[in-house]
Amino acid sequence: MSSASTTGRLEVASPGLPAPLTPLVGREREAAAVRELLLRAHLRLLTLTGPGGAGKTRLALRVAADLRDHFDDVVFVSLASITDPALVPAAVAQALGLREVGERPQPERVVECLRDGRPLLLLDNLEQVLGAAPFLAGLLAASPGLKVLATSRAPLRLSGEHEFPVPPLAVPKPSDAARLPLGDLLRIEAVALFMQRARAVNPRLVLTAENAPVVVEICRRLDGLPLALELAAARAKLFPLSTLLARLEHRLAVLIDGPRDVPGRQRTLRDAVRWSHDLLPPAEQVLFRHLAVFAGGFTSDVAEVVAGPWLREEGSSAAAAVHELPARSGVYGPTPGTLDSLAALVDASMVQPVGPDRAAERGDAIPRFTMLETIREYGLERLAASGEEGPIRDAHATVFLALAESAEPALLGPDQGQWLDRLEREHDNLRAALVWLIGTGTPGEARPSERREGPVADVPSSVRTETALRLAGALWLFWLGHGHLSEGRQWVERALGLAPDSAATQSMPSRSRAKALNAAGVLAAAQADYGHAVARFEAALAMWRSIGDPSAVGRTLHYLGVTAQERGDYAGSEPYLAEALDHYRRGTEDEPWIGLVLNQLGVAAAERGEGERAIVLCEESLQRQRELNNQRGVAIALLYLGDVLRELGRYAPAITSYQECLVHLGQQADRWTLVDGLTGLAAAAGDAGQPERAARLAGAAEAMREAVGASLKPRSRAAHDRAVAAARAGLGESGFAVAWAAGRANTPEQAIAEAARVSTSPVSETRSTSAPRPPIRSSASPGRTVPWSDLTVREREVLRLIADGCTDRQTAEALARSPPPATPHVPNQLFKLTVRTRAAAAAAAVRSGIA
């Protein structure tokens, strides 16, 4: 996080440089980097690039003023009003104070003036006169002591040019308003600039705990772009901050009337973006407006399918290529023409590449790009005006439908975690597709600029309805696994509302509608809205029976059985579950589902008092899921086995089962089921005489339940209440409150590490330090153990830090090493322990006695 003074730095005018009327806020890091580059002996040409309004000129002036003692002269040349490259030599000559004398060409006189000494030439706003690059190349070649600092929205593409992209100001995280003291919040650059400029027009305005969330969201919505922040701050004289934020749904219409002493293109945000757009060649303008359809970024191959020239030439034949996208790994990349145009948009600062480090963190195997939202909004305006919006948005929706439908079966397999992460990366694009298909505002975070009032005539509304139902029906496991329950429910219900149930839909049942009904039921049940869930399942069941799909009939019966159990009706669940099992066993692709239904049959058996039968059923489910390498299925089987064992009073094996379950859930990033695992383990810990662990785990479960929008299920309530009662009794009110708060503050990874510390012994919460440490057993490779002696001292320390919830950087700092060398320790531990995630390593560390 960059910091900035709320007052900024007062800049002293330097001869030859204009004196800014307002202090520069922030930019200490960028200014230091640019100064260091300009002082390098062999660097002669440095170009500050970035979108309009990023603050390139102010940064250049700051650096030039700082370095005035390092050069014989510092000369500022404004090119803002020049559009003819041939006039650049005259502008430089005028800045140097050279008068035209006789017939001697001005370029020669400029070269003669700059040939000797060590001058610094600051050329501002070069983007509209890039044709003057040969003149600059000749000037540098003839003047060995000359250095040029240029600002431009695009690089000059000269030999020896060094490009320095000027980023937007640092913006706060959404949680910073509640997490940071107001003084720290004011040191974040975007907040500091906005508040400084807002107070200039409204001196009574101060940052408070009440308005801090609004200020944070304003800065985030404006991408930290200085011009946008300054234009928004000027509106603080007219509107309360909350009203200003609401109006920023349409940024370009609001951010107008800038200062009269700046170039016209910087008086409104739209003019600033239009200036850059109009400098693009026609083909790049087309690609720009087509890429604006992407929300939250895009990869180059997806851009080719949606926005590439071949799509416009071949029309609907694009659909076949769309379905290849989710499976390939960049082999089918963009054509040279599209790639060249995309590179040109990057050069023009209209599109930003995602840095290699961030792309690696996100798991992108091929290049990913994004647009600032202020720029994207202009692109969407151009797209709507072009008459091309319908086909481009339909292609975008088709691409992400293909991704969702490819992901759905994989979410029940061993690669579930990777697919969940991939869908999360594309969540904004999935939302944008749903907004387009459904034609209403978003229940989540999709932008209002993507809304439409009704269907576009080029595609029948029935086709969009079908696509919307398919997309919503394919995303239910993603919404469930990553805790987007409320948003997912709203999307599915809106998709179903496009074609309400009627005699026509019953007589001609649709697979996509039946699937969406099941999705709506699952998500409703996850929020304990059981009446609605049952109604949706029963409607789906009638459709599936009419269609004649045994597997789908089995799954719907399964959902009805699970819902009955969640309501506490175990006897009523058994007919549904038995029939579901019969349907599954007739199919050839329902093996994972057989294991899942065995879990519920085990719970029903336990409720009948058949404890041993319940254990056998849950263990059979676990064995089946292990044979299938279905990690999520393994976790769920372990969860149910833990529940059965706990209810039978077998706390030690129950705790072990829950702990292994949680390790698997940490690997799969299944937040919804993680809540159930923590709740069950909290109850087992309380029953086993470990009240502090019980309180911390129950607190963590509650916080995560709130975060994902889930309700406490009736089946889980007894376990939750028992854990809380045991913890209160063992700790007292004050001790319970402290432990509960500590648990609520835990991240999921820290909660899993906490879970691994629950002892299987019912007598003590502490581990004897004199007891011999057991070997580390890997849950990812049953039966394999890694002896304590196989780990070095350094590796043991790294594992201890992982178990404490430290990030890679915090681990590095604790080891008194720089981050790059320290990070490889974590993969080394995972390899030795044959586990795949930090959470699994933390659990193994605790079991070994390291932590």
Side-chain angles (χ1 to χ4, degrees):
M1 179 189 302
S2 298
S3 61
S5 165
T6 56
T7 57
R9 166 175 167 164
L10 294 175
E11 295 164 89
V12 179
S14 177
L17 295 177
L21 298 180
T22 56
L24 180 65
V25 174
R27 295 301 194 194
E28 284 82 4
R29 182 171 51 194
E30 290 84 359
V34 174
R35 285 195 301 268
E36 189 272 330
L37 288 170
L38 278 175
L39 292 176
R40 291 182 185 177
H42 300 294
L43 193 149
R44 307 277 312 284
L45 171 60
L46 178 62
T47 306
L48 306 186
T49 60
K56 301 181 293 294
T57 299
R58 289 300 306 271
L59 177 60
L61 288 171
R62 157 80 175 273
V63 171
D66 289 347
L67 295 180
R68 57 187 178 271
D69 293 337
H70 292 265
F71 293 93
D72 297 339
D73 196 7
V74 177
V75 180
F76 176 81
V77 183
S78 175
L79 302 173
S81 61
I82 296 176
T83 57
D84 184 354
L87 297 179
V88 172
V92 176
Q94 182 178 359
L96 290 169
L98 299 177
R99 296 183 179 181
E100 194 167 0
V101 179
E103 297 181 356
R104 192 175 181 190
Q106 275 186 327
E108 290 185 11
R109 301 184 64 240
V110 170
V111 168
E112 181 180 357
C113 179
L114 297 174
R115 179 177 296 147
D116 300 323
R118 298 182 66 255
L120 173 65
L121 193 62
L122 198 170
L123 300 176
D124 190 39
N125 292 115
L126 262 171
E127 61 267 5
Q128 75 272 22
V129 286
L130 293 178
F135 161 70
L136 295 179
L139 194 62
L140 286 164
S143 311
L146 172 66
K147 293 199 175 191
V148 173
L149 175 61
T151 71
S152 176
R153 301 186 191 189
L156 304 178
R157 294 192 175 278
L158 289 175
S159 298
E161 179 185 25
H162 191 107
E163 184 180 349
F164 186 92
V166 177
L169 295 175
V171 297
K173 298 176 182 177
S175 61
D176 283 348
R179 185 178 63 87
L180 294 180
L182 294 178
D184 290 347
L185 200 59
L186 278 168
R187 281 188 280 274
I188 298 175
E189 291 178 341
V191 176
L193 178 62
F194 176 79
M195 289 303 299
Q196 183 192 88
R197 300 297 192 263
R199 284 179 56 79
V201 298
N202 183 1
R204 294 187 301 275
L205 179 65
V206 294
L207 187 67
T208 66
E210 289 71 29
N211 66 26
V214 178
V215 172
V216 165
E217 184 56 29
I218 287 172
C219 294
R220 291 181 60 80
R221 191 166 294 184
L222 297 178
D223 302 311
L225 202 63
L227 174 61
L229 291 166
E230 293 193 359
L231 292 172
R235 291 299 200 221
K237 182 178 181 179
L238 303 175
F239 305 119
L241 293 181
S242 57
T243 304
L244 175 61
L245 175 60
R247 288 175 173 264
L248 287 180
E249 288 187 348
H250 304 283
R251 305 166 184 79
L252 300 182
V254 174
L255 302 183
I256 58 177
D257 296 337
R260 294 189 178 92
D261 59 341
V262 299
R265 64 176 180 275
Q266 291 187 335
R267 290 176 193 164
T268 76
L269 188 59
R270 178 180 281 107
D271 287 343
V273 181
R274 181 192 294 128
W275 173 264
S276 295
H277 172 268
D278 292 348
L279 293 174
L280 298 172
E284 290 163 21
Q285 291 183 5
V286 171
L287 182 61
F288 165 70
R289 63 178 178 258
H290 288 185
L291 293 178
V293 76
F294 290 102
F298 54 90
T299 53
S300 55
D301 61 341
V302 173
E304 169 67 19
V305 174
V306 174
W310 70 276
L311 175 60
R312 297 187 296 277
E313 293 170 3
E314 298 182 17
S316 61
S317 65
V322 161
H323 287 277
E324 300 174 10
L325 272 171
R328 65 177 183 250
S329 300
V331 175
Y332 184 82
T335 60
T338 303
L339 192 58
D340 289 345
S341 294
L342 183 57
L345 290 176
V346 172
D347 281 347
S349 303
M350 302 294 277
V351 170
Q352 284 74 44
V354 175
D357 293 340
R358 185 175 162 215
E361 289 174 5
R362 293 171 62 104
D364 294 323
I366 51 179
R368 190 173 183 89
F369 303 86
T370 189
M371 281 186 187
L372 295 177
E373 285 301 312
T374 46
I375 292 176
R376 181 169 173 260
E377 185 175 326
Y378 182 78
L380 289 172
E381 285 186 358
R382 303 309 307 158
L383 181 64
S386 71
E388 302 156 352
E389 182 174 20
I392 292 298
R393 284 201 179 276
D394 286 331
H396 175 272
T398 303
V399 164
F400 289 100
L401 171 63
L403 174 66
E405 291 186 332
S406 296
E408 186 183 11
L411 291 178
L412 290 172
D415 297 326
Q416 182 207 40
Q418 296 175 23
W419 279 95
L420 283 172
D421 289 344
R422 184 170 184 183
L423 291 174
E424 193 65 63
R425 287 198 298 274
E426 301 296 357
H427 201 173
D428 282 342
N429 277 311
L430 294 166
R431 288 176 174 133
L434 287 164
V435 168
W436 171 249
L437 294 167
I438 295 174
T440 61
T442 167
E445 303 163 20
R447 283 98 180 150
S449 54
E450 289 152 4
R451 297 179 184 173
R452 61 184 181 87
E453 296 302 322
V456 176
D458 57 334
V459 172
S461 61
S462 61
V463 174
R464 287 208 176 97
T465 297
E466 180 74 8
T467 305
L469 288 169
R470 286 171 62 189
L471 181 55
L475 288 172
W476 69 275
L477 264 174
F478 163 64
W479 286 322
L480 186 70
H482 266 201
H484 305 297
L485 301 179
S486 297
E487 180 179 350
R489 282 190 70 185
Q490 292 182 61
W491 282 128
V492 179
E493 294 295 344
R494 289 182 181 186
L496 289 167
L498 294 176
D501 289 322
S502 63
T505 58
Q506 293 299 326
S507 62
M508 297 183 63
S510 157
R511 285 181 171 273
S512 58
R513 182 171 185 81
K515 192 172 177 181
L517 285 166
N518 274 345
V522 170
L523 295 169
Q527 294 191 309
D529 188 356
Y530 298 119
H532 186 75
V534 169
R536 288 308 196 191
F537 289 142
E538 288 177 344
L541 182 60
M543 284 192 172
W544 288 125
R545 289 194 192 277
S546 178
I547 292 168
D549 186 328
S551 294
V553 168
R555 280 192 288 276
T556 309
L557 289 164
H558 190 170
Y559 298 147
L560 283 164
V562 172
T563 303
Q565 289 194 351
E566 296 294 352
R567 302 175 85 167
D569 183 8
Y570 296 95
S573 74
E574 291 194 73
Y576 291 124
L577 297 172
E579 188 180 351
L581 184 59
D582 181 59
H583 280 282
Y584 288 159
R585 282 180 168 152
R586 283 189 247 158
T588 58
E589 299 180 357
D590 292 322
E591 278 296 317
W593 293 91
I594 292 175
L596 292 173
V597 81
L598 289 172
N599 294 322
Q600 275 82 42
L601 288 170
V603 170
E607 288 297 317
R608 289 196 310 271
E610 300 176 12
E612 295 305 321
R613 173 65 176 159
I615 292 173
V616 168
L617 288 168
C618 290
E619 287 182 339
E620 181 185 347
S621 170
L622 179 59
Q623 181 62 30
R624 283 177 175 272
Q625 303 292 12
R626 288 198 195 279
E627 289 172 355
L628 293 170
N629 195 24
N630 181 0
Q631 297 303 308
R632 183 170 186 271
V634 168
I636 292 174
L638 287 164
L639 171 65
Y640 277 92
L641 181 58
D643 287 346
V644 169
L645 290 168
R646 189 194 73 235
E647 291 300 325
L648 293 172
R650 302 180 187 179
Y651 302 128
I655 288 169
T656 300
S657 187
Y658 284 130
Q659 287 172 330
E660 187 178 353
C661 161
L662 291 169
V663 169
H664 281 280
L665 291 173
Q667 293 171 352
Q668 296 300 311
D670 186 340
R671 301 170 191 168
W672 186 64
T673 312
L674 178 62
V675 171
D676 287 341
L678 290 169
T679 301
L681 182 56
D687 291 339
Q690 302 174 61
E692 183 173 356
R693 298 283 186 224
R696 292 169 70 96
L697 291 169
E702 182 189 69
M704 291 180 206
R705 192 179 296 111
E706 293 170 357
V708 302
S711 299
L712 185 61
K713 306 171 187 175
R715 186 174 69 83
S716 302
R717 183 170 297 281
H720 170 81
D721 292 346
R722 196 159 68 193
V724 171
R728 287 185 190 277
L731 299 174
E733 283 300 325
S734 60
F736 172 81
V738 170
W740 181 270
R744 284 187 58 88
N746 277 341
T747 65
E749 194 169 67
Q750 290 168 333
I752 292 172
E754 177 80 33
R757 294 187 174 94
V758 176
S759 172
T760 55
S761 168
V763 296
S764 175
E765 290 202 49
T766 60
R767 180 178 58 248
S768 172
T769 56
S770 61
R773 295 182 174 95
I776 302 170
R777 184 171 297 278
S778 166
S779 60
S781 179
R784 173 175 175 179
T785 60
V786 180
W788 167 269
S789 58
D790 281 4
L791 298 179
T792 67
V793 173
R794 173 71 64 169
E795 288 168 346
R796 295 176 209 170
E797 177 64 10
V798 171
L799 276 178
R800 185 188 65 75
L801 292 166
I802 291 174
D804 287 340
C806 293
T807 65
D808 288 350
R809 180 171 293 277
Q810 289 168 338
T811 300
E813 292 170 351
L815 296 172
R817 300 179 61 171
S818 59
T823 300
H825 278 283
V826 174
N828 190 42
Q829 319 317 315
L830 304 188
F831 173 78
K832 281 194 172 184
L833 301 178
T834 67
V835 296
R836 294 188 297 170
T837 69
R838 296 170 58 88
V846 173
R847 287 195 297 272
S848 73
I850 295 173

